[in-house]
Amino acid sequence: MSGEHVSHSFTRAIVRPPPATLGRGLTNSAHLGAPDTARALAQHAAYCDALRRCGLAVTVLDADPAFPDSTFVEDTAVLVGGATVVTRPGAPTRRDEVAIIRAALDASFPSVRSITEPGTLDGGDVCATGREVFIGISARTNEAGASQLAAFLREVGVSARTIDIRGIPEALHLKSGLSALGDDTLVAIPELAEHEAFAGYRMVPIIPGEEYAANCVRVNGQVLIASGYPYLLANLTWMGFETVELDMSEFQKMDGGLSCLSLRF
Ligand code: CIR
């Protein structure tokens, strides 16, 4: 990746509030119960406020009850190192979420590329470190989607490599268990921390029981993390990161993490 690219430096974000149908979205976490939509809306508003306090201008798209998972906008596009790519989500019920995102991106970017059949790719599987990009091969992202994205990234001088997470059923996406905090620092769940691809990075370990917190986001000078995970919070604070805790309970019930609620660029 070109030296001047900084993977956590952003000026804008796109978000989409959760629709009243949020509870009809896809989830493997039914044991956590159904999401409370009013609470989800309040958590989403607090998330947007946190992005604004980090200095971002936040574009809020309309919620759409026809797409229960559409609040998880990160899965619909990848914006890395000058490449702007609209995805083809792995879940068929989510494919048509991309139209409104493409329209929003077309307004700001001259050339928006697309992942096409037979490729599938969810943005949640794309982790940019500032040095390179890791693409998760998952239940949602296939080899064809990953290689299409890698080709788009190559055009802008960014290298990518794949990480197969299909043996980690608890991780819906690569970023369910891995985050890049800049400064060559990664946060990872135990199943990923020892992966050879991450040798050479400073690794912030996630302890058993705090797996959900592995999905955190560095935005300019702050790290946004889910509230309720004291070990990671203490560790990041000790390392000198400024943290912002956000209640993510209603999105966690739908397998959504912090990163998936926004597209940052
Ligand atoms: C889904 O299963 O697609 C949604 N319920 C959750 C997507 C979460 N996205 C993400 O972590 N990037």
Side-chain angles (χ1 to χ4, degrees):
M1 190 173 280
S2 64
E4 66 273 13
H5 176 75
V6 180
S7 59
H8 52 82
S9 176
F10 306 109
T11 57
R12 294 183 55 192
I14 294 175
V15 300
R16 212 173 175 190
T21 53
L22 176 66
R24 288 191 218 145
L26 303 167
T27 184
N28 293 321
S29 302
H31 63 283
L32 295 177
D36 176 320
T37 315
R39 213 168 155 208
L41 274 170
Q43 291 175 354
H44 193 268
Y47 180 93
C48 294
D49 283 345
L51 291 179
R52 291 186 190 102
R53 281 197 301 276
C54 291
L56 305 199
V58 179
T59 300
V60 183
L61 302 178
D62 289 339
D64 187 345
F67 296 105
D69 283 312
S70 54
T71 192
F72 304 117
V73 287
E74 179 181 62
D75 293 323
T76 60
V78 176
L79 297 106
V80 174
T84 309
V85 181
V86 168
T87 69
R88 182 168 181 266
T93 55
R94 301 200 56 191
R95 297 248 160 97
D96 292 338
E97 288 176 25
V98 300
I100 189 173
I101 302 294
R102 172 175 265 285
L105 294 174
D106 276 340
S108 300
F109 295 95
S111 164
V112 179
R113 318 299 286 274
S114 298
I115 301 296
T116 53
E117 204 174 351
T120 63
L121 184 115
D122 280 14
D125 277 315
V126 180
C127 183
T129 72
R131 226 198 257 181
E132 60 192 327
V133 171
F134 297 115
I135 308 173
I137 302 297
S138 69
R140 299 290 177 86
T141 295
N142 64 18
E143 298 275 1
S147 70
Q148 288 176 30
L149 178 62
F152 292 140
L153 292 172
R154 236 179 350 260
E155 287 175 13
V156 293
V158 174
S159 62
R161 51 178 149 167
T162 57
I163 308 287
D164 192 338
I165 62 158
R166 286 171 294 185
I168 312 174
E170 317 78 70
L172 172 64
H173 292 119
L174 177 62
K175 277 193 292 195
S176 308
L178 179 76
S179 297
L181 298 186
D183 306 326
D184 294 333
T185 300
L186 297 175
V187 178
I189 57 173
E191 294 87 334
L192 286 170
E194 301 297 324
H195 196 293
E196 58 176 13
F198 308 140
Y201 285 90
R202 176 170 68 154
M203 186 58 73
V204 182
I206 288 286
I207 59 164
E210 292 205 354
E211 289 84 355
Y212 180 72
N215 180 272
C216 48
V217 183
R218 180 156 177 198
V219 182
N220 302 330
Q222 321 268 326
V223 179
L224 311 185
I225 68 168
S227 57
Y229 300 96
Y231 186 87
L232 179 64
L233 179 67
N235 214 353
L236 292 177
T237 306
W238 176 78
M239 292 173 82
F241 288 107
E242 207 173 305
T243 53
V244 177
E245 285 187 280
L246 291 166
D247 188 354
M248 292 291 296
S249 66
E250 304 315 292
F251 300 104
Q252 184 177 12
K253 291 172 181 172
M254 303 310 296
D255 301 338
L258 253 164
S259 70
C260 47
L261 290 183
S262 60
L263 282 166
R264 303 158 298 277
F265 52 100

